[in-house]
Amino acid sequence: MENFMNENFMLENKTAQRLYHEHAAKMPIIDYHCHLPVKEIADDRKFDNIAQIWLSSDHYKWRAMRTNGVDERFCTGNASDWEKFEKWAETVPHTMRNPLYHWTHLELNSPFGINKVLNPSSAKEIWDETSRQLQSKYSVRQLITSLNVETICTTDDPIDSLEWHRKIKADKFSTRVYPAWRPDKAMMVDNPATFNAYIDQLAMVSGIEISDYSKLMDALNKRHDLFHENGARLSDHGLETMYAESYTDSEIKTIFIKVRAGKDLTKEEILKFKSAMLYEFALMDHQKGWSQQFHLGAMRNNNSRLFTKLGPDTGFDSIGDYEVGTSMSGFLDRLDKENKLAKTIIYNLNPRDNALYATMIGNYQDGSIAGKMQWGSGWWFLDQKYGMIDHLNSLSMLGLLSRFVGMLTDSRSFLSFPRHEYFRRIVCNLIAIDVEKGEIPSDMDVLGKMVENICYYNAKNYFNFPK
């Protein structure tokens, strides 16, 4: 792999190489949004082999394997770990120009130090070497530490006990691991039976009998307080679009009683209730000085047959074509008028909306905090070279790239942290191309600081994590 993924991978000129090696590479990682299983961090799990850490929950890889004609038994089924890895090794050569090809080899290089291309011929050697290191050298915490990860924010439901976060803190693990509040299920009244089952669980963990809307808010506020006590300083919402319907308090109280009785709501009632809940969640975050994140635009669980069989987050989601601008403006504007708009990060999944998002954040910058409103990094299907470049270019043209809070993994894999390296190489190269063209000054002190800020310091200063 002499000419592939060497130390100057994706760094097209000397300026890019200096920016990356002298500035970006040394920055710690703040991974402020991911889906890592926090229990495995608390237990400091050790994996027997790379299939367990790579293929047990990665729907990106499953989609590629299915596309390559691999039977479901080798994706989510009961095939052995080696059989699953063997099928992935057969698939990798077919992923060229897909980000999985780069991610796969970055993750073999760091932390394992493997510079071979993964294919059927190299699969057994790579399997043996990674298994040896995972069994003898790398527990979950050792992996995290070796990759210079300073802070991790997991994604947690209001009903979660947070016991594993407390254990990690009690162990004095050098990497700080905080929960992030993800209250989506508390507003999903589309299915009364599912919603009511969730509200019953919320009632049980909060110790509050949820008989009306005010009690619902009492229970949620109590859980929000618990999250804050356990280090949470940001929320996350995974929605098709934001909600900003007009409503009255009496309407919301009536709607809640109706859905608690198990009755189906009208489309208008659903939108009003979701609008009220989203607003209340925003007030909670503002009151505590949190940041709020909104991941918008996923069309989920499209394959009903396989969703029924395998459940959510198994690789059957796509980019949606929802209207986002009007409701986003209405939601943010209401909070801004009341001076209750928390620091906000918005992520789009449809690239057609890039300029919309880049200009929307500019509407609500108020001068109180540098970069208060953020357009989040390329997410999910846009989390690849050209998605990142398009995002960075639009942000540069329509906002301030220098104030960007940078990358996150949004991953369920403990080997995904090299995605930060991928992002950092792309940022350095993009800036360096402009330098070489003479479009921005070749001032390495200024540019180096800008790169360090985007990679690390902006996020460190943006989130009010406990000291």
Side-chain angles (χ1 to χ4, degrees):
M1 210 160 66
E2 182 178 349
N3 296 316
F4 173 62
M5 206 165 280
N6 58 29
E7 65 177 6
N8 292 324
F9 172 62
M10 302 183 87
L11 305 174
E12 299 177 26
N13 57 50
K14 295 297 184 182
T15 302
Q17 292 163 18
R18 284 191 63 189
L19 287 174
Y20 178 73
H21 294 300
E22 296 177 15
H23 299 280
K26 67 183 182 182
M27 291 294 102
I29 289 172
I30 296 177
D31 200 45
Y32 56 88
H33 174 72
C34 71
H35 299 274
L36 292 176
V38 67
K39 183 179 185 299
E40 293 183 2
I41 304 175
D43 291 341
D44 199 17
R45 178 181 174 179
K46 296 199 77 166
F47 294 90
D48 296 324
N49 56 65
I50 195 169
Q52 293 177 1
I53 197 171
W54 241 8
L55 295 165
S56 63
S57 60
D58 192 336
H59 54 81
Y60 289 84
K61 292 186 177 70
W62 296 339
R63 281 174 72 100
M65 291 166 74
R66 291 171 189 138
T67 303
N68 200 43
V70 173
D71 187 81
E72 193 65 33
R73 185 168 74 89
F74 301 99
C75 301
T76 61
N78 60 1
S80 69
D81 290 343
W82 162 250
E83 289 173 320
K84 291 180 178 181
F85 178 76
E86 189 176 32
K87 290 298 183 183
W88 173 239
E90 292 174 7
T91 299
V92 167
H94 298 280
T95 66
M96 285 187 184
R97 301 205 83 241
N98 183 293
L100 284 166
Y101 195 79
H102 285 163
W103 292 350
T104 293
H105 294 102
L106 282 171
E107 292 170 16
L108 288 175
N109 181 266
S110 180
F112 300 112
I114 294 172
N115 294 312
K116 294 182 178 294
V117 172
L118 178 58
N119 55 40
S121 299
S122 63
K124 186 63 169 63
E125 180 183 357
I126 289 173
W127 169 271
D128 289 343
E129 177 58 21
T130 52
S131 296
R132 182 189 68 78
Q133 292 193 41
L134 285 168
Q135 293 171 25
S136 64
K137 183 179 179 181
Y138 287 129
S139 66
V140 161
R141 296 191 191 184
Q142 289 167 328
L143 270 173
I144 292 170
T145 302
S146 74
L147 293 167
N148 198 20
V149 182
E150 179 179 285
T151 304
I152 294 171
C153 294
T154 57
T155 306
D156 308 88
D157 192 279
I159 67 172
D160 290 344
S161 69
L162 306 184
E163 61 181 300
W164 305 118
H165 289 89
R166 287 192 287 274
K167 182 179 187 303
I168 293 166
K169 182 179 180 181
D171 290 345
K172 295 182 169 31
F173 179 38
S174 58
T175 298
R176 296 176 296 177
V177 182
Y178 300 122
W181 169 265
R182 182 73 173 260
D184 297 351
K185 293 179 181 178
M187 58 189 287
M188 295 306 172
V189 289
D190 312 66
N191 185 315
T194 302
F195 176 76
N196 282 318
Y198 177 80
I199 297 304
D200 290 342
Q201 290 180 289
L202 177 62
M204 182 175 66
V205 299
S206 66
I208 295 174
E209 183 179 351
I210 303 176
S211 55
D212 56 31
Y213 182 69
S214 66
K215 294 296 184 182
L216 170 64
M217 297 315 303
D218 288 344
L220 288 167
N221 273 294
K222 185 175 181 179
R223 301 302 293 176
H224 199 269
D225 291 344
L226 177 69
F227 271 61
H228 189 83
E229 292 165 10
N230 283 272
R233 294 297 183 270
L234 70 165
S235 65
D236 179 66
H237 306 264
L239 308 170
E240 294 174 352
T241 185
M242 287 183 179
Y243 303 100
E245 296 293 313
S246 297
Y247 60 85
T248 65
D249 291 343
S250 62
E251 282 180 313
I252 301 305
K253 292 174 182 177
T254 300
I255 291 169
F256 182 74
I257 294 298
K258 180 178 178 180
V259 73
R260 279 299 270 166
K263 298 177 181 178
D264 290 330
L265 303 180
T266 66
K267 183 177 180 179
E268 181 182 18
E269 288 172 329
I270 291 171
L271 291 175
K272 286 178 181 289
F273 189 83
K274 289 183 176 182
S275 299
M277 293 300 293
L278 202 60
Y279 172 73
E280 294 295 339
F281 291 140
L283 295 186
M284 293 181 198
D285 293 346
H286 180 267
Q287 191 272 329
K288 289 191 176 70
W290 287 17
S291 305
Q292 55 186 358
Q293 302 175 92
F294 298 92
H295 286 83
L296 306 173
M299 185 183 293
R300 301 179 188 271
N301 308 319
N302 293 271
N303 189 320
S304 57
R305 175 179 62 84
L306 290 175
F307 169 68
T308 301
K309 179 180 179 180
L310 302 174
D313 304 319
T314 49
F316 304 102
D317 309 316
S318 63
I319 292 171
D321 58 353
Y322 310 105
E323 180 184 331
V324 295
T326 302
S327 58
M328 186 186 302
S329 177
F331 172 73
L332 297 175
D333 194 59
R334 179 183 179 185
L335 293 166
D336 182 73
K337 283 190 296 185
E338 298 173 358
N339 197 27
K340 294 178 180 177
L341 179 57
K343 289 178 289 186
T344 302
I345 309 175
I346 52 176
Y347 305 82
N348 62 302
L349 197 55
N350 195 323
R352 72 171 188 192
D353 297 324
N354 279 4
L356 187 158
Y357 278 62
T359 55
M360 186 64 73
I361 62 170
N363 296 331
Y364 298 100
Q365 305 286 14
D366 59 14
S368 62
I369 301 166
K372 174 181 176 179
M373 305 296 293
Q374 291 278 330
W375 176 27
S377 61
W379 168 48
W380 203 340
F381 297 108
L382 305 183
D383 182 8
Q384 28 79 5
K385 177 182 174 180
Y386 297 104
M388 290 182 193
I389 290 173
D390 288 346
H391 169 269
L392 294 167
N393 280 332
S394 293
L395 181 58
S396 299
M397 290 183 290
L398 302 169
L400 296 182
L401 175 62
S402 61
R403 291 300 185 180
F404 180 40
V405 293
M407 184 59 177
L408 51 100
T409 63
D410 190 36
S411 177
R412 293 168 172 78
S413 170
F414 290 104
L415 288 181
S416 65
F417 293 110
R419 294 184 195 178
H420 285 264
E421 176 186 343
Y422 196 56
F423 167 82
R424 292 173 179 187
R425 288 175 179 270
I426 289 170
V427 169
C428 291
N429 195 64
L430 199 65
I431 293 171
I433 288 172
D434 284 353
V435 172
E436 296 290 322
K437 289 179 179 179
E439 294 181 3
I440 56 178
S442 182
D443 186 331
M444 294 305 293
D445 290 336
V446 172
L447 296 177
K449 185 61 178 176
M450 177 179 174
V451 165
E452 291 179 9
N453 285 341
I454 293 169
C455 295
Y456 173 70
Y457 288 109
N458 286 346
K460 186 176 181 67
N461 294 329
Y462 188 81
F463 301 107
N464 297 327
F465 295 127
K467 302 298 184 184

